Amino acid sequence: APGYVWPIALCVQSLTSRDNAEAAELLTVLEGYIADELAERRLYLALAQRAPVWARQTMRELAEDEGDHARQLMTARYLITGQCRQPEALPLELVSAGDWCALLRQRYHSEVCGGMNYARTADSTPDHCLAELLNGLSAAEYRHAERIRGLLERCLGQRKC
């Protein structure tokens, strides 16, 4: 949530005192989520350039949300390790909008899968504050899926499928 300060800072003690193997595994998972969110941000920015006019703003908003998710995860990582992680400055991917409906279908499934993965990780961490963050990201990914489903409905309606 914009402007909300995650209470994870209060829980860092419980994370850093855990078994080293568990902590390393959790950091690996967080790093993967950060990379995924940054990749999705880049993808949505590329799609915003090639989307039908009626979908461009939604693509830009989804890109912004994915960037926010990456920042929240990078903050959690910093609270756990005390080390900053600067995202790599990768070039924007060239994406062909091609079959827009098929692309929206793929994005829908990706967002649902992301929501499910965040929920699973939240369920498996003993840290309450980190679980709250991950559950919030899960809910956000499901909201993204619903927005994309709405775009897909419009796309299919124009096709007369």
Side-chain angles (χ1 to χ4, degrees), residues 27-49:
L27 285 174
T28 300
V29 169
L30 288 178
E31 288 284 343
Y33 286 154
I34 292 166
D36 289 347
E37 294 291 352
L38 292 172
E40 288 200 341
R41 178 185 174 274
R42 287 189 308 275
L43 177 62
Y44 283 126
L45 286 172
L47 290 175
Q49 295 175 354

Side-chain angles (χ1 to χ4, degrees), residues 91-102:
L92 191 61
E93 300 174 34
L94 292 178
V95 175
S96 168
D99 181 351
W100 186 246
C101 291

